[in-house]
Amino acid sequence: MQNVDGATSLADCPTRLAVEIISDKWAVLVLFGLSQGPRRHGELVDLIGGVSRKVLTQTLRRLQQYGLVDRRAEAPRRVEYRLTDLGRTLVEPIEVLTDWAREHGGDIADFQEAAEAARPSPAA
């Protein structure tokens, strides 16, 4: 990974920011869920599945702090979240990762199963 000036240093590599953002388990799913249009909190909970309301709130706040998600309160109990223009720039990379996972997910599962089968079983 090269910096803009051509020097290679992982300490200030711009990739770190991208990895920081997408390494959050729920961030990518939230961003992808919002890629189809604005959604309310409960809609995101249902769409994503498996995420608690508290964790979703934390994830949405973190994405807002990055400038990727916008929160709009239309009424006290009517809040919608939407991608910002900056947030929309991550949709294509997320789609690329999704395509990669579809294509290679089976290979990874096969490798993991083979590695597990090759491990000696613990003594009983």
Side-chain angles (χ1 to χ4, degrees):
M1 294 175 221
Q2 286 190 327
N3 291 328
V4 176
D5 64 2
T8 303
S9 170
L10 294 179
D12 14 328
C13 178
T15 305
R16 287 182 99 158
L17 176 60
V19 170
E20 180 181 317
I21 293 168
I22 66 170
S23 66
D24 177 304
K25 176 179 180 178
W26 302 108
V28 171
L29 296 174
V30 169
L31 292 167
F32 194 71
L34 293 174
S35 70
Q36 303 303 311
R39 296 192 189 267
R40 295 181 67 192
H41 193 275
E43 292 174 317
L44 284 169
V45 168
D46 293 341
L47 178 67
I48 294 169
V51 65
S52 71
R53 290 184 173 277
K54 177 183 175 185
V55 170
L56 178 59
T57 298
Q58 292 169 340
T59 302
L60 286 164
R61 286 183 183 154
R62 194 167 28 259
L63 292 171
Q64 284 177 268
Q65 291 170 347
Y66 286 124
L68 303 173
V69 169
D70 184 40
R71 179 185 187 271
R72 294 197 183 161
E74 298 173 2
R77 310 249 328 137
R78 176 102 176 137
V79 176
E80 283 189 340
Y81 297 89
R82 64 188 71 227
L83 292 180
T84 62
D85 289 341
L86 183 58
R88 278 190 281 284
T89 65
L90 279 172
V91 173
E92 184 179 348
I94 290 169
E95 288 174 341
V96 169
L97 286 171
T98 301
D99 291 343
W100 180 89
R102 273 192 203 108
E103 186 174 338
H104 299 287
D107 297 333
I108 291 172
D110 292 345
F111 178 84
Q112 290 174 328
E113 287 175 15
E116 180 67 29
R119 279 192 201 117
S121 58

